[in-house]
Every structure is written in structure tokens, then in C-alpha cells.
Amino acid sequence: MTSTAFDPAALAASDAATPALALTIAGSEATGGAGAQADLKTFQELGVFGIANLTCIVSFDPQDNWNHRFVPIDQQVIADQLEATTAAYGAASGAPSVLDTVKIGMLGSPATISTVATALAAAAFTNVVLDPVLICKGQESGHALDTDQALKAQILPLATFVTPNHFEAESLSGLEITDLASLKAAAVRIHELSGAAVLAKGGVRLAGPAAVDVYYDGETLEVLSAPKVGEVAVSGAGCSLAAAITAELAKGATPLEAARTAKSFVTAGIRNRVASGAPFDALWQGGPR
Ligand code: PXL
């Protein structure tokens, strides 16, 4: 098992005059805990120039058990954002620092999945980190099923790194996950299905004193472990973990190094979480400082 301490000196060294670039294609989560806001804060903390192209706007509903109110962005507006970003920083842009790393967060509808899949296929990014956000609290279940199937068919094959949580790992692998052995089996299965490096997250969902994640890339299987901070999931942990992997890949880390750094970044962010009037705390990306 590996448990890596976060190293602020390494972070400072990475914050070069011409920063690496990373794009997140994600939803806005109005309270700032999750989604594109969490991704941009993570990119900035890790010394990467962050770009966000929005797919939807989520506003929790305090009158309805904090369920998600979900509004998709118009498909043409999503395509316009991707066009602007690739023209400014893509391989053919002539930019001194080329955008070759993207994170995919909440897409939320089959239409958005098609729009994003088309843009991804055209842009040929080196690193495509997929946080396979499969279910949105309060979303109608028939709609969610369509979205899950489209994500698996159109986006998963384009991913080079995928970061499923417990629920998403069960859904993608078709396996029941009850312990470390079954989490490992799911990580292996998801790699076989996608060809991507996988970080399958046990989080607070597996019993025991540690928050355990399994990394598998077809060759190396490594268990990343950190002491649990409470037993309740913190908002933005999944987004920030995938965003930290994205930032590290953009700076040239290997997938395994990126996973290790991201795990310690998120552990520090959870230790320093921010409380609010909502029934969940939010991860603080400044925690490692
Ligand atoms: O944590 C998953 C997530 C991702 N993206 C957006 C969200 C959420 C959860 O609230 O709102 C936009």
C-alpha cells in the first residue's frame, strides 16, 4: 500500500512561467464545492492554467432535500466553447503551450455526450481523464439510464484514465463491490473494457479505518490508502481527485504518479473541509497549503 505525503516544494517547482494547460468539460455546481469550480481550483493549486467549458448548471434545491436542479447548456453553446478552446490552445493553434489534456466531468444528457464525443475525437487529446458521473441526485431514472449507456458507448472508449466511485465502478464492471478484493476485480475489469488506467475509489463506502482506492493500468496494480476522515462523503472529492490527476498528467507525470499525488491532495483537502448550511461539507483545495 502507498500513502504519499503532499509536497508543497514539488508544487512550487511545477508552477513554471509557462504553465501546463488543462481543460475541464464539466457542469457548474453553484455552491462551488463540486463540478467545474472544484476542477479550476484544483488546477490552480497544482500550478496548471485551467480552462472550463460548461455542459450544465446544477443548483441544489434546499427546499427539496438538496436534490439537484439540472439545466443543460444549449448544444450549440457547448460546441462553441469547445471550438473557441481548441482554436486558442489546440494542436493546430500555434500556442507555445499546447492543450493536450482534458478532464470530463458531468455531461448529464445523451445529446451533450454526442457533442462532446465528436469534439474529443476531432481534437485528439493525449490525456482524457473521465470522471464517469453517472447519477445526479433528483434526476429522473429513465433519463439517467440513457445517459449512462451513452457515456459507456461514446466517452469511455476515448478515455485514457477513468476514476469511478463505488457506485460507478459497480455499474461499469457489472460486479458487486463489497471489499478490497472485489474493488480490485472491478478495477481490472474496467481496464479490460476501456483500455484506460483506472483508479477505482472505495472511499467511505468500504468498511474499515482507511479510505482505499485501487489503481490498475494493465501492468501495475497498486492500493492507495489514507486514514478515513469521518464516515460521510465530502462534496467535490471525486471532482478534485480526477482534476488533480488531470493537472499532474498535464505537467508530464505518469498515470501512477498522478494517482498518488491526487490521493494525497484530496486527503489534505478533506482534512481541511469547509462546512456550510448544506448537509454536506465541501473539500478545500487549499488544504495542502
Ligand atoms: O460530484 C459530482 C458532481 C459533478 N459535477 C457537478 C455536480 C456534482 C455533484 O453535485 O453538481 C456539476
Side-chain angles (χ1 to χ4, degrees):
M1 293 209 188
T2 301
S3 183
T4 333
F6 192 76
D7 179 2
L11 180 119
S14 73
D15 205 355
T18 304
L21 311 174
L23 166 65
T24 178
I25 303 174
S28 163
E29 188 276 278
T31 70
Q37 289 88 335
D39 295 343
L40 286 179
K41 287 184 268 186
T42 301
F43 292 165
Q44 183 75 17
E45 285 292 333
L46 293 172
V48 167
F49 181 94
I51 304 166
N53 290 185
L54 293 184
T55 55
C56 61
I57 297 182
V58 170
S59 312
F60 298 139
D61 187 352
Q63 319 285 355
D64 178 25
N65 194 29
W66 297 83
N67 275 319
H68 292 183
R69 291 173 291 195
F70 169 87
V71 178
I73 302 284
D74 180 87
Q75 294 308 310
Q76 187 59 51
V77 177
I78 297 172
D80 290 351
Q81 294 174 77
L82 292 162
E83 183 190 17
T85 300
T86 40
Y89 295 112
S93 65
S97 189
V98 168
L99 175 65
D100 63 5
T101 303
V102 60
K103 184 207 145 177
I104 319 283
M106 185 185 284
L107 299 177
S109 77
T112 299
I113 285 166
S114 294
T115 301
V116 169
T118 304
L120 283 183
F125 291 103
T126 308
N127 303 305
V128 178
V129 179
L130 173 63
D131 185 14
V133 180
L134 285 188
I135 206 136
C136 182
K137 236 177 125 199
Q139 218 176 17
E140 188 253 309
S141 61
H143 177 78
L145 190 65
D146 282 2
T147 302
D148 293 2
Q149 283 166 352
L151 192 83
K152 284 178 203 167
Q154 295 178 56
I155 306 286
L156 190 60
L158 301 174
T160 62
F161 202 128
V162 57
T163 62
N165 64 20
H166 180 268
F167 170 78
E168 293 153 357
E170 284 192 334
S171 169
L172 293 176
S173 67
L175 301 172
E176 192 190 358
I177 302 170
T178 53
D179 54 14
L180 181 57
S182 45
L183 189 63
K184 285 182 184 172
V188 170
R189 182 82 193 106
I190 295 166
H191 168 76
E192 287 166 355
L193 289 169
S194 65
V198 179
L199 187 63
K201 301 172 284 184
V204 294
R205 297 297 305 274
L206 294 186
V212 173
D213 305 328
V214 173
Y215 172 90
Y216 184 66
D217 61 13
E219 286 175 7
T220 304
L221 189 145
E222 183 163 308
V223 177
L224 305 182
S225 178
K228 272 185 192 161
V229 186
E231 286 288 341
V232 180
V234 167
S235 172
C239 299
S240 301
L241 183 84
I245 290 169
T246 307
E248 292 305 305
L249 292 174
K251 291 187 293 190
T254 65
L256 179 56
E257 287 165 354
R260 289 176 181 155
T261 304
K263 175 76 172 173
S264 46
F265 179 82
V266 163
T267 302
I270 292 173
R271 277 201 197 104
N272 294 281
R273 61 199 180 276
V274 176
S276 71
F280 39 78
D281 297 342
L283 178 142
W284 166 225
Q285 287 81 10
R289 287 187 267 136

